[in-house]
Amino acid sequence: MTWVRKAGYGLGLLVLVPVVIAARVLPWRDKYETLTGEGGRRVVAAGGRAAVLDGVEWRLKSVTEGRLADPAARPLPPRTRIAIVLTSMKPLTDQAAKKFAAGTRDCKFRVVDRAGRSWPSSFRGDLAPRNGNAGSCWTMDQDYKIVPTPAGKELTIQTVYVVPEDAFASLEVEVHLGPESRTVRLTP
Amino acid sequence: MRRAVLSVVMGVVLLAAIIGVRRATPGVDERYAPIAVSGALGEQVDTAAFQLRVDRLELGGAVRITDDYGLTGEPKSTAGIWVVVWATVAAASTSLQVQGARLRTADGSEYLASSTIGTLDKTDLSPGIPAYGPILFEIPPDRLTGAVLSVTTHSVKGLDLLGPAADVDLGLTASYATGLLQRMPPTVTVGPVRNL
């Protein structure tokens, strides 16, 4: 076997091995992202600035503390506080609005503190008044049909959390958009 | 001739080695089993996803559940005995439930926690907000001795592959278990889960 032929086999191996590994690993990576919601595309915006993902602008408007208005309401766990988070989303183009309406109705909000601990939004309706804000990435009409947000219109979304007192000061917001496992992270 | 004998001996040795390795190789269940941290009654067990401390143990012939409003339900009977494990659990970094609470008895049988709602294993746990409450099991009384509490985050074992787990020795020696059974009240009333 000449050295040219040997080099040819060597080069072939150098190409073939990564291709085989990629063919085995990449489908699992997609499954992992779908299953865990981790590892997908992520955009981060700090200092109240806007994050743009797939033509949709996201902005953290405020994180404020709430109070239980009804004295008869189920009490909060000890040493916890209510965090009321206002986030806005605005499709910047018609195409982005259509894509968002078609594919990302399942958006999940959570807050994360400096230590990496996270809390999902609470289902309790008695923690804060809604004040006309949406409860998720979409609104419904009187017939309970989803109304897509048109391009250029800002939708303010209110989510409420019960978090430990020591976490409140360092809360950031994460919006997880399925099914493509994309994440928007917003810091005050 | 000598070489042929040596070859046969080598072949037998290699065959035995292959059989040994095959038998010693852990199966799928062992390789993908949850990663368990062991502890004992009264000790805090720290797993990657939650902290657990078993505080005490009660037995009863029937249980009555008191809800969040202080209302106590009708007694729930069982063909065996009720084992009530009082524990404190906190999530480490993300919200979860400890749905995979099982009593593993000395003979290897596993009893999943009762489907009764309002117990600790059916409670949403959040980081930094520990919860204290009961986990209920129904087991035959003769299997109490040597029972160990095993806790994972899912009731379906396939979802806990290489996941976090806590194994807690409940200290149920034969004499202690016999004593508990002798002193067992006909009915035990358990309160709701509360945040600490």
Side-chain angles (χ1 to χ4, degrees), chain B residues 79 107 153:
Chain B
D107 65 350
T153 52

Side-chain angles (χ1 to χ4, degrees), chain A residues 77-80 110 116-120 162-164, chain B residues 68-69 92-95 126-130 195-196:
Chain A
R79 299 176 304 283
T80 57
R110 66 175 189 167
R117 301 179 300 174
S118 67
W119 296 267
V162 176
V163 298
Chain B
D68 286 336
Y69 302 99
S93 60
T94 56
S95 296
S126 293
I129 310 174
N195 290 116
L196 301 178

Side-chain angles (χ1 to χ4, degrees), chain A:
Chain A
M1 191 184 285
T2 63
W3 69 270
V4 176
R5 202 166 176 183
K6 285 179 185 171
Y9 280 122
L11 281 173
L13 270 178
L14 279 177
V15 173
L16 197 63
V17 169
V19 166
V20 169
I21 290 173
R24 296 281 297 175
V25 170
L26 289 179
W28 278 100
R29 183 181 162 80
D30 287 345
K31 284 179 191 169
Y32 174 79
E33 286 176 7
T34 307
L35 193 68
T36 64
E38 302 288 338
R41 196 173 154 210
R42 165 184 290 249
V43 291
V44 180
R49 284 195 292 273
V52 178
L53 179 66
D54 293 341
V56 178
E57 183 186 272
W58 295 86
R59 195 183 295 271
L60 176 59
K61 298 179 89 172
S62 65
V63 179
T64 53
E65 184 176 1
R67 299 260 176 232
L68 273 181
D70 184 358
R74 187 155 58 93
L76 296 177
R79 299 176 304 283
T80 57
R81 293 163 79 173
I82 299 170
I84 303 171
V85 175
L86 291 182
T87 313
S88 68
M89 60 141 292
K90 182 166 72 176
L92 298 176
T93 62
D94 286 333
Q95 193 185 1
K98 279 181 191 166
K99 189 181 174 194
F100 187 81
T104 50
R105 283 174 184 170
D106 56 337
C107 57
K108 288 179 188 159
F109 285 77
R110 66 175 189 167
V111 287
V112 184
D113 77 347
R114 195 183 295 115
R117 301 179 300 174
S118 67
W119 296 267
S121 57
S122 174
F123 289 109
R124 281 182 65 172
D126 59 345
L127 297 177
R130 184 57 65 79
N131 294 331
N133 298 313
S136 189
C137 297
W138 34 265
T139 52
M140 287 185 176
D141 63 12
Q142 290 177 334
D143 297 326
Y144 298 103
K145 285 182 181 165
I146 289 175
V147 180
T149 306
K153 187 185 175 190
E154 182 181 278
L155 179 70
T156 301
I157 301 152
Q158 176 177 302
T159 47
V160 183
Y161 306 84
V162 176
V163 298
E165 284 175 347
D166 61 345
F168 189 89
S170 65
L171 291 180
E172 299 177 355
V173 179
E174 270 193 8
V175 190
H176 182 256
L177 302 160
E180 295 166 5
S181 294
R182 289 161 301 150
T183 305
V184 178
R185 186 157 187 161
L186 304 165
T187 38

